[in-house]
Amino acid sequence: MVVGAHVCGTEGDVSDDDAGAPFGGGAGKGGPASGAGASATGDGLRRRRRRRRLRRSGIVVAVLAVGAVGAGWAVYAKLDGNITSDEAAAAELARYEKERPTSLVRGARNVLLIGSDSRSGDGNARYGRDTGTERSDTTILLHLAAGRDSATAVSLPRDLMVDVPDCRRPDGSRTEPVLAQFNYAYEVGGSACSIRTVEKLTGVRIDHHVVVDFQGFKELVDALDGVEVCLRKPVDDKDAKLRLPAGRVTLDGEQALGYVRARKSLGDGSDTDRMDRQQRFLGALVNKAQSNGVLLNPMKLYPVLDAATSSLMTDPDLASLRGLYDLARGLRGIPTERVQFLTVPREPYAGDANRDQLVEPDAEKLFTRLRTDEPVEIAAAAEPDAPTGSGDPREPGDGDSPAPTFSGNTAADDVCE
């Protein structure tokens, strides 16, 4: 609108003043104009036609500008409306504010990413029967450094034995504090119970949380035109609905979901192996988003944003495009080698080999570095049978002792190496 007004107003002010003299000094004095007067009259007609063209073009520009603003607002409103605000979790967390840990470093952010195994959403029923409950299929604690020069994603095993606090059930009743496997927290108390459990376990303040279901994950992968992985041998897994050749393969959304959830046909069937596979996939996904210009191309970015927001539930501060943008805008400049993935140091639980427990003091060293925003160094993943503690066998202590190194991978790692 401003563009159109500028074009019409500027040209009209000049042209109207100039046009008065030729018409007043030519035909206005009686008789047909001739000689210099005729030339002046011709110039005046040309200026009038030019003014009309400029006015029309100005109107067109103004209409296009208004249309663009309208279309932009419609897109913004649609994307903004896709996101569900987790008001219930916010209320529950506010109830326990005094017992929650405080943030130690200004500008650093910790986001709990929860992949829900709910079958109740659109397109999710095919993955199993909905029993009325849901658990956290995947949970990742994402630490964003204050300077936004690194991002560290720590997987929390769903079978990790933890102290789950008393939590509010969906029906309003409350549970008792209990030692249970980690994904029990989400089953009984949703995201608020998971957040309080993680904060109790790590001492890390959770600033934001994001919950995404199966459908949202698939749509995001499809919006990126697939994500490449590398398979050492062919896969034929009916349970995971997955049939793939060996070598480099670009997975669509449905295939990607089967890939990150499969147990029997990929790896050794353990949750440990599955988490390592999920981390490698997320690294490949981040690499794809950065390498094909998605973040800089509006035509590519819109379907990604639409997919990313369509199945999200977040804390109220993130439940808008502005909130997500404020969080994400500092991430575009992080080099892929500084986007790191690892699993919390753990080992078989003493009371049940099918459950996990933390490896100490390695786990506390990791949590301390996250709390204080210290760099987390990672090395190649440990052997499958080894506990996932520090990759560096040296014990860090006081003085000049080296910082611990944890096993994991980065978004820059080649999927076939």
Side-chain angles (χ1 to χ4, degrees):
M1 188 61 107
V2 175
V3 174
H6 174 77
V7 171
C8 292
T10 302
E11 292 293 335
D13 290 344
V14 174
S15 299
D16 286 344
D17 291 341
D18 290 346
F23 283 99
K29 290 185 178 181
S34 60
S39 176
T41 300
D43 288 343
L45 289 172
R46 282 191 292 272
R47 281 195 292 268
R48 288 176 62 191
R49 293 190 184 102
R50 183 167 177 263
R51 285 203 310 273
R52 291 191 190 103
R53 286 196 300 270
L54 287 171
R55 287 193 180 101
R56 292 190 190 104
S57 65
I59 291 171
V60 170
V61 170
V63 169
L64 290 175
V66 170
V69 170
W73 174 252
V75 169
Y76 182 93
K78 181 183 186 303
L79 296 176
D80 202 55
N82 283 348
I83 309 168
T84 300
S85 178
D86 196 352
E87 301 291 344
E92 177 73 355
L93 292 173
R95 175 186 176 121
Y96 292 94
E97 180 59 38
K98 291 183 179 179
E99 72 177 40
R100 299 181 64 195
T102 58
S103 298
L104 300 181
V105 179
R106 184 177 181 179
R109 289 291 181 269
N110 297 296
V111 186
L112 195 65
L113 308 175
I114 302 173
S116 167
D117 69 356
S118 171
R119 272 68 165 176
S120 60
D122 291 341
N124 291 331
R126 75 184 72 175
Y127 303 109
R129 184 170 58 90
D130 185 4
T131 61
T133 63
E134 55 183 313
R135 296 196 181 192
S136 50
D137 195 60
T138 300
T139 304
I140 294 173
L141 173 56
L142 175 64
H143 175 76
L144 307 176
R148 297 300 187 268
D149 54 358
S150 69
T152 302
V154 181
S155 293
L156 300 172
R158 62 182 189 175
D159 292 336
L160 184 69
M161 297 303 292
V162 297
D163 290 316
V164 179
D166 64 301
C167 293
R168 184 184 185 278
R169 291 190 178 97
D171 64 5
S173 64
R174 303 199 69 85
T175 66
E176 294 292 331
V178 64
L179 175 67
Q181 60 189 75
F182 175 66
N183 64 349
Y184 172 78
Y186 191 77
E187 178 187 1
V188 297
S191 52
C193 192
S194 292
I195 290 168
R196 292 180 58 220
T197 300
V198 171
E199 289 183 339
K200 184 178 180 66
L201 179 72
T202 66
V204 173
R205 170 78 178 212
I206 302 301
D207 302 294
H208 302 291
H209 69 277
V210 176
V211 182
V212 61
D213 65 15
F214 293 161
Q215 189 67 18
F217 175 82
K218 293 190 303 181
E219 290 177 356
L220 177 58
V221 173
D222 285 336
L224 287 169
D225 295 326
V227 173
E228 185 181 72
V229 299
C230 190
L231 301 173
R232 295 181 180 178
K233 58 182 181 180
V235 176
D236 189 357
D237 187 333
K238 294 181 180 178
D239 291 338
K241 306 181 187 301
L242 198 61
R243 189 171 184 177
L244 301 168
R248 291 182 181 269
V249 182
T250 298
L251 306 181
D252 62 22
E254 188 72 39
Q255 293 168 329
L257 182 62
Y259 176 79
V260 299
R261 297 188 70 239
R263 287 178 180 271
K264 299 177 181 179
S265 58
L266 289 168
D268 59 10
S270 68
D271 204 42
T272 297
D273 187 84
R274 192 174 76 138
M275 283 186 296
D276 290 343
R277 193 185 330 127
Q278 290 171 351
Q279 291 167 7
R280 291 193 298 272
F281 180 85
L282 289 175
L285 186 147
V286 170
N287 208 332
K288 177 67 176 288
Q290 289 196 7
S291 64
N292 68 356
V294 166
L295 300 179
L296 301 176
N297 186 331
M299 296 300 292
K300 292 182 178 180
L301 183 59
Y302 172 76
V304 173
L305 288 177
D306 191 31
T309 57
S310 62
S311 299
L312 288 187
M313 181 169 64
T314 76
D315 60 278
D317 288 342
L318 280 188
S320 67
L321 278 185
R322 179 59 184 269
L324 289 174
Y325 174 75
D326 287 344
L327 179 70
R329 64 180 174 178
L331 305 181
R332 291 178 294 184
I334 299 179
T336 53
E337 62 269 18
R338 295 301 296 163
V339 179
Q340 306 172 135
F341 301 89
L342 66 150
T343 300
V344 64
R346 86 281 186 211
E347 62 188 359
Y349 176 53
D352 184 347
N354 293 317
R355 301 290 180 263
D356 289 327
Q357 64 185 25
L358 295 179
V359 172
E360 296 294 4
D362 292 353
E364 181 53 35
K365 292 172 186 174
L366 172 61
F367 300 151
T368 298
R369 300 190 81 80
L370 296 179
R371 287 194 296 267
T372 57
D373 198 33
E374 293 293 322
V376 175
E377 300 298 330
I378 67 169
E383 292 299 318
D385 294 335
T388 58
S390 297
D392 192 330
R394 295 169 294 180
E395 284 296 327
D398 296 330
D400 297 328
S401 298
T405 301
F406 301 91
S407 60
N409 64 282
T410 76
D413 292 349
D414 191 302
V415 293
C416 277
E417 292 184 355

